[in-house]
Amino acid sequence: MSAPDGAEHGQSRNVFALMFGAIGVVFGDIGTSPLYAMKETFAGPHQLALDRLHVFGVLSLVFWAVTIVVSIKYVVFIMRADNKGEGGSLALLALVGRVAQGRPGLSALVAALGIFAAALFYGDSMITPAISILSAVEGLQVVAPALDHYVVPLTIGILVVLFAIQKHGTDAVGKAFGPIMTVWFTVLAVMGVRNIGLAPEVLKALSPHWAILFLYNDGWIGFLALGSVVLAVTGAEALYADMGHFGRVPIRLAWYFLVLPALLLNYFGQGALLLTNPAALENPFFKMAPAWAGVPLLLLATCATVIASQAVISGAFSVTRQAIQLGYLPRMTIVHTSEQEIGQIYVPVLNWTLMIFVMALVLGFRTSSNLASAYGVAVTGTMVIDATLIGMVMLLLWGWKKNWVFGLVGLFLVMDLAFFLANSTKIPHGGWFPLAIGLVVFVFLTTWKRGRQLLMAKLANDAMPVDAFLASLSSRVARVSGTAIFLTGTREGIPLALLHNLKHNKVVHERVVILTVIMAETPFVSAEKRIEHEVLAPGFQRLTLRFGFMEDPNIPKTMAHAKTEQLGFFYEPMSISYFLSRETIIASQNPGMDPWREQLFAWMARSATNAMDFFQLPSNRVVELGSQVEI
């Protein structure tokens, strides 16, 4: 079965404190869906009549979509599939990949699905801030119609501030997330109850027969309406992705006791309002509130959408770090913004790239209604992939009976595929954007992974065997004092940097350490498994350091905290020199990849953060030696 509940990496934090924190981080995306979901379902590209059948039918679809997709699929089942407490597409990929080993076809399929799901997340992380903040600021059209022309500039201004503060970290701001989102969900529930009183009969929509009747009566138009209904469940994948920060129990408690009731009450309240006042379709969310509450609700909605955007941006940083550690992206500069929380990181290149694309989306689409046409395709694609992968986990890892798995996963896929196919009609109207972003990212991820495999194979093939190197060492070679640590990506042979140093400097240090850093497919590596050393000959040894994909590979700090018997030598920082090999990639006449992918890999390699910064080596103790490698 799955590993014990995560978010306990040496911490014994109170469950309710974690639940409070989860409310402020995990549910921002799905929690702000009421701002636009009902409006887009009735007033979107495929408008629906505001009569009893359609309002009840849409509410029934929303209720059962939230129940099956979020409450059952993600919260009950997918959150059981944790990788040492961590969740998310790449963690699920690592989990399923281990049980698929030895089956080449299945391994390739699993890798492709997991990588593409992660790639689609980047498209989602661009659209979510744009549509969320824009939909909140559009409340100006209700509160102060004369200020309508300030909606886009104000949205741009909020986005600039949001991305600018990322470098300072979210620790201080994060402390306010929980209280603000708790107030937000409470307000959603109160507004919902207040409006349900206008037409209590909307509660009849809890029966699934209204959804069936609506789809049967409206046919094709009813099916296309699913493309807007799915907006009510966007953000469901965040529950799984953020499991490592809070644990499954706090997230489940927060969902069932606050978030789920608040969302459903608000959706049913909007349905009751639309039945009694069709003119409210202009902006049903803000029309739910009394006139005096317009400005406070606008400010609260803006805060909630900023928090939702912050969660998605932080998620993109986290996914990027996982991709780097698992070997799908080149090294990038990662800044830690908190000394207490390992998950609070900042990736400068990604931050500014996201800002440019998000602002371009706002300027290009200009309204949340237009952006809704681009939203949903990436999310539903990820939902289909998650359902497929969890089915593999149930069969291969948990050993569940096939009949149970096929029935359960079949139910999930019926809904997920229906949502995906309904959203596919949006592709010509903006839905192409997240797919295009996902495809580009997928090419980058797979190109880097394949290129690194070819590079490591080439280096291993060309490396001089250790025995041959030791036998060739002449007693006339000068041995200088100190320790030389040669970093290499392979665990076989002699590093090129060592050969170059001997060739050009004609010396060998009295103690030579060949160091390899291995990134495990688990979030964290225990202290017992962190270090492995092997004596090759007097004065020569091989050292292996292992890190999880949620950890920082800080080599000096790791060795400083290790015992002498673990390292095989006494760690004295000022007597150590680190030798790095910088490879220049050259496309060969018989390339292992398409020529354009080799060129892309070479460019990515040139753009990567150097090993000195990535492994946090002291700059005054590092020597770099270059070499050219054909792949």
Side-chain angles (χ1 to χ4, degrees):
M1 301 298 285
S2 60
D5 195 355
E8 303 135 355
H9 310 300
Q11 304 179 46
S12 56
R13 297 169 63 183
N14 185 279
V15 170
F16 290 100
L18 287 168
M19 182 181 79
F20 196 59
I23 291 171
V25 176
V26 177
F27 302 101
D29 192 354
I30 196 169
T32 53
S33 294
L35 283 165
Y36 46 80
M38 288 292 285
K39 174 185 175 183
E40 293 310 315
T41 303
F42 285 96
H46 312 287
Q47 298 183 7
L48 302 175
L50 289 172
D51 55 26
R52 196 165 180 263
L53 170 64
H54 291 88
V55 172
F56 281 23
V58 168
L59 288 176
S60 186
L61 283 172
V62 168
F63 173 78
W64 288 103
V66 171
T67 299
I68 294 175
V69 174
V70 187
S71 297
I72 298 177
K73 176 187 168 184
Y74 276 96
V75 177
V76 174
F77 290 103
I78 289 186
M79 286 181 65
R80 289 172 60 94
D82 65 284
N83 183 14
K84 302 294 184 183
E86 293 294 328
S89 296
L90 288 177
L92 188 59
L93 164 62
L95 187 69
V96 183
R98 287 199 295 272
V99 296
Q101 287 180 355
R103 309 178 189 182
L106 183 60
S107 294
L109 174 63
V110 168
L113 289 175
I115 295 168
F116 194 60
L120 287 174
F121 180 81
Y122 286 95
D124 184 35
S125 64
M126 294 174 186
I127 295 181
T128 295
I131 191 173
S132 298
I133 295 177
L134 194 54
S135 63
V137 178
E138 283 174 348
L140 277 175
Q141 298 168 341
V142 176
V143 176
L147 300 178
D148 179 41
H149 57 287
Y150 286 109
V151 169
V152 171
L154 188 56
T155 300
I156 293 294
I158 293 172
L159 287 170
V160 169
V161 173
L162 174 62
F163 283 99
I165 65 173
Q166 295 302 314
K167 62 183 178 181
H168 301 295
T170 59
D171 191 30
V173 181
K175 293 176 181 176
F177 284 9
I180 291 174
M181 292 307 293
T182 300
V183 171
W184 170 254
F185 287 118
T186 302
V187 169
L188 288 185
V190 171
M191 289 169 59
V193 171
R194 176 177 179 271
N195 283 269
I196 287 173
L198 301 174
E201 65 266 26
V202 294
L203 295 177
K204 295 179 180 178
L206 292 171
S207 171
H209 88 275
W210 283 105
I212 297 170
L213 191 62
F214 164 65
L215 293 173
Y216 176 78
N217 184 77
D218 280 49
W220 179 244
I221 297 299
F223 175 75
L224 294 178
L226 293 176
S228 298
V229 170
V230 77
L231 295 174
V233 298
T234 56
E237 67 282 358
L239 279 68
Y240 180 51
D242 285 318
M243 185 169 61
H245 296 293
F246 302 99
R248 69 168 70 92
V249 172
I251 291 176
R252 283 173 173 168
L253 289 174
W255 172 253
Y256 288 122
F257 286 103
L258 177 63
V259 180
L260 175 62
L263 290 175
L264 292 179
L265 286 170
N266 195 268
Y267 284 125
F268 276 75
Q270 289 190 47
L273 175 65
L274 292 175
L275 273 180
T276 55
N277 180 18
L281 185 60
E282 175 192 1
N283 199 320
F285 178 82
F286 283 98
K287 293 287 187 180
M288 293 177 76
W292 61 265
V295 173
L297 182 60
L298 173 63
L299 295 176
L300 179 61
T302 302
C303 289
T305 53
V306 167
I307 291 171
S309 303
Q310 174 63 59
V312 173
I313 295 168
S314 298
F317 292 160
S318 180
V319 169
T320 300
R321 179 171 65 175
Q322 290 186 44
I324 292 170
Q325 308 293 54
L326 291 172
Y328 289 103
L329 280 176
R331 296 184 296 265
M332 297 182 191
T333 299
I334 297 177
V335 180
H336 286 264
T337 59
S338 171
E339 294 181 358
Q340 290 77 35
E341 300 294 334
I342 189 173
Q344 292 191 13
I345 58 174
Y346 169 62
V347 185
V349 172
L350 179 61
N351 183 68
W352 301 119
T353 302
L354 284 177
M355 188 188 78
I356 292 170
F357 278 99
V358 172
M359 291 173 63
L361 283 169
V362 171
L363 293 172
F365 288 88
R366 305 195 70 80
T367 70
S368 62
S369 294
N370 292 337
L371 265 173
S373 295
Y375 203 32
V377 179
V379 175
T380 52
T382 302
M383 286 162 51
V384 171
I385 293 172
D386 286 347
T388 304
L389 292 179
I390 194 62
M392 295 181 185
V393 170
M394 291 174 177
L395 283 174
L396 302 176
L397 190 62
W398 296 345
W400 288 10
K401 293 181 179 180
K402 287 186 178 181
N403 291 341
W404 283 97
V405 174
F406 291 155
L408 192 61
V409 175
L411 173 63
F412 296 155
L413 284 175
V414 165
M415 292 204 69
D416 294 342
L417 286 171
F419 284 134
F420 178 75
L421 292 174
N423 273 277
S424 65
T425 61
K426 299 179 180 181
I427 292 176
H429 309 289
W432 56 268
F433 178 82
L435 289 180
I437 293 295
L439 184 60
V440 170
V441 174
F442 180 81
V443 169
F444 272 79
L445 295 176
T446 53
T447 297
W448 183 255
K449 185 72 170 180
R450 178 58 180 157
R452 287 295 296 175
Q453 289 172 343
L454 292 172
L455 177 60
M456 291 299 102
K458 177 66 173 177
L459 291 177
N461 185 61
D462 293 346
M464 176 183 288
V466 173
D467 293 342
F469 173 79
L470 294 175
S472 67
L473 274 181
S474 169
S475 59
R476 290 175 294 178
V477 174
R479 302 295 293 262
V480 295
S481 62
T483 300
I485 298 181
F486 294 87
L487 273 71
T488 176
T490 65
R491 300 187 67 192
E492 305 293 335
I494 297 296
L496 289 175
L498 176 51
L499 295 176
H500 287 317
N501 183 55
L502 177 59
K503 177 181 178 181
H504 296 291
N505 296 324
K506 307 291 193 297
V507 296
V508 174
H509 285 69
E510 64 177 338
R511 182 179 295 105
V512 174
V513 179
I514 300 173
L515 174 61
T516 302
V517 175
I518 295 178
M519 306 311 302
E521 292 189 349
T522 54
F524 300 90
V525 172
S526 64
E528 299 78 33
K529 298 180 180 179
R530 175 82 67 203
I531 301 172
E532 175 187 333
H533 86 272
E534 173 191 2
V535 177
L536 304 175
F540 286 85
Q541 72 175 75
R542 187 180 296 278
L543 186 65
T544 302
L545 301 183
R546 288 182 171 83
F547 296 92
F549 61 74
M550 294 297 289
E551 295 180 296
D552 278 324
N554 187 322
I555 291 176
K557 183 178 179 181
T558 300
M559 292 197 296
H561 285 83
K563 298 177 181 178
T564 300
E565 56 266 28
Q566 288 179 292
L567 295 176
F569 64 92
F570 177 72
Y571 178 70
E572 174 54 52
M574 298 311 294
S575 69
I576 290 177
S577 297
Y578 296 92
F579 287 80
L580 307 178
S581 177
R582 179 179 287 271
E583 296 93 4
T584 300
I585 310 301
I586 301 174
S588 67
Q589 297 297 319
N590 299 303
M593 296 187 291
D594 291 333
W596 66 270
R597 291 187 72 191
E598 290 211 343
Q599 294 296 330
L600 175 60
F601 175 71
W603 173 79
M604 293 174 74
R606 291 194 299 270
S607 304
T609 298
N610 63 56
M612 180 185 72
D613 293 332
F614 187 76
F615 293 118
Q616 301 180 57
L617 305 177
S619 58
N620 61 341
R621 310 297 305 175
V622 173
V623 178
E624 281 194 338
L625 298 169
S627 61
Q628 293 185 338
V629 182
E630 286 190 355
I631 60 170

